[in-house]
Amino acid sequence: MKKQENSVLLRDFGEWIRNERERKELSQTEVADELGLHQTYYGKIELAKREVDLTTAMSICRVLGLDLSDFIKTHM
Protein backbone atom coordinates (compact mmCIF):
# COMPACT_ATOMS: atom_id res chain seq x y z
CA MET A 1 0.00 0.00 0.00
CA LYS A 2 1.31 3.44 -0.88
CA LYS A 3 2.15 5.86 1.92
CA GLN A 4 -0.54 8.31 0.73
CA GLU A 5 -3.21 5.57 0.72
CA ASN A 6 -2.12 4.53 4.21
CA SER A 7 -2.42 8.13 5.42
CA VAL A 8 -5.95 8.37 4.05
CA LEU A 9 -6.94 5.11 5.76
CA LEU A 10 -5.47 6.24 9.06
CA ARG A 11 -7.27 9.58 8.80
CA ASP A 12 -10.57 7.92 7.92
CA PHE A 13 -10.23 5.36 10.72
CA GLY A 14 -9.46 8.12 13.22
CA GLU A 15 -12.48 10.13 12.12
CA TRP A 16 -14.69 7.04 12.25
CA ILE A 17 -13.75 6.15 15.82
CA ARG A 18 -13.81 9.78 16.98
CA ASN A 19 -17.32 10.28 15.60
CA GLU A 20 -18.57 7.15 17.36
CA ARG A 21 -16.83 8.07 20.62
CA GLU A 22 -18.40 11.52 20.55
CA ARG A 23 -21.80 10.09 19.61
CA LYS A 24 -21.61 7.90 22.70
CA GLU A 25 -20.48 10.92 24.75
CA LEU A 26 -17.26 9.25 25.86
CA SER A 27 -14.01 11.07 26.48
CA GLN A 28 -10.72 9.99 24.98
CA THR A 29 -9.57 9.21 28.51
CA GLU A 30 -12.51 6.88 29.14
CA VAL A 31 -11.86 4.94 25.94
CA ALA A 32 -8.11 4.87 26.51
CA ASP A 33 -8.57 3.61 30.07
CA GLU A 34 -10.84 0.82 28.85
CA LEU A 35 -8.18 -0.14 26.32
CA GLY A 36 -5.30 0.10 28.76
CA LEU A 37 -3.70 2.85 26.67
CA HIS A 38 -2.51 6.32 27.60
CA GLN A 39 -4.94 9.04 26.52
CA THR A 40 -2.23 10.77 24.49
CA TYR A 41 -1.54 7.61 22.49
CA TYR A 42 -5.25 7.06 21.85
CA GLY A 43 -5.69 10.70 20.85
CA LYS A 44 -2.92 10.36 18.29
CA ILE A 45 -4.75 7.39 16.75
CA GLU A 46 -7.87 9.56 16.32
CA LEU A 47 -5.72 12.29 14.74
CA ALA A 48 -3.98 9.78 12.41
CA LYS A 49 -0.62 10.68 13.92
CA ARG A 50 -0.07 7.13 15.10
CA GLU A 51 -0.36 3.92 13.12
CA VAL A 52 -2.61 1.30 14.63
CA ASP A 53 -2.15 -2.46 14.41
CA LEU A 54 -4.99 -4.85 13.75
CA THR A 55 -5.26 -6.01 17.36
CA THR A 56 -5.54 -2.45 18.64
CA ALA A 57 -8.03 -1.50 15.92
CA MET A 58 -10.19 -4.48 16.87
CA SER A 59 -9.98 -3.57 20.56
CA ILE A 60 -11.00 0.02 19.86
CA CYS A 61 -13.96 -1.20 17.84
CA ARG A 62 -14.98 -3.58 20.63
CA VAL A 63 -14.94 -0.77 23.20
CA LEU A 64 -16.95 1.53 20.92
CA GLY A 65 -19.37 -1.15 19.74
CA LEU A 66 -18.19 -0.92 16.14
CA ASP A 67 -17.56 -3.67 13.61
CA LEU A 68 -14.14 -3.28 12.00
CA SER A 69 -15.39 -5.18 8.95
CA ASP A 70 -17.82 -2.31 8.26
CA PHE A 71 -14.88 0.09 8.02
CA ILE A 72 -12.90 -2.31 5.86
CA LYS A 73 -15.82 -2.88 3.47
CA THR A 74 -16.23 0.84 2.84
CA HIS A 75 -12.54 1.73 2.60
CA MET A 76 -10.86 -1.12 0.76
Side-chain angles (χ1 to χ4, degrees), residues 9-73:
L9 280 175
L10 288 173
R11 183 200 67 215
D12 290 350
F13 182 75
E15 287 177 4
W16 185 58
I17 62 173
R18 183 184 66 244
N19 289 337
E20 186 63 17
R21 177 183 57 77
E22 289 175 346
R23 189 182 76 73
K24 292 187 175 188
E25 299 181 356
L26 297 169
S27 69
Q28 285 184 345
T29 301
E30 290 171 315
V31 174
D33 286 349
E34 182 70 26
L35 293 165
L37 300 174
H38 192 277
Q39 180 276 326
T40 304
Y41 183 86
Y42 177 78
K44 287 181 180 182
I45 294 171
E46 284 192 1
L47 294 172
K49 294 183 185 259
R50 185 65 95 161
E51 289 195 15
V52 61
D53 62 30
L54 182 59
T55 302
T56 303
M58 290 174 62
S59 295
I60 292 169
C61 288
R62 178 187 47 79
V63 167
L64 294 174
L66 297 168
D67 187 343
L68 185 57
S69 66
D70 291 338
F71 178 80
I72 292 169
K73 287 176 194 172

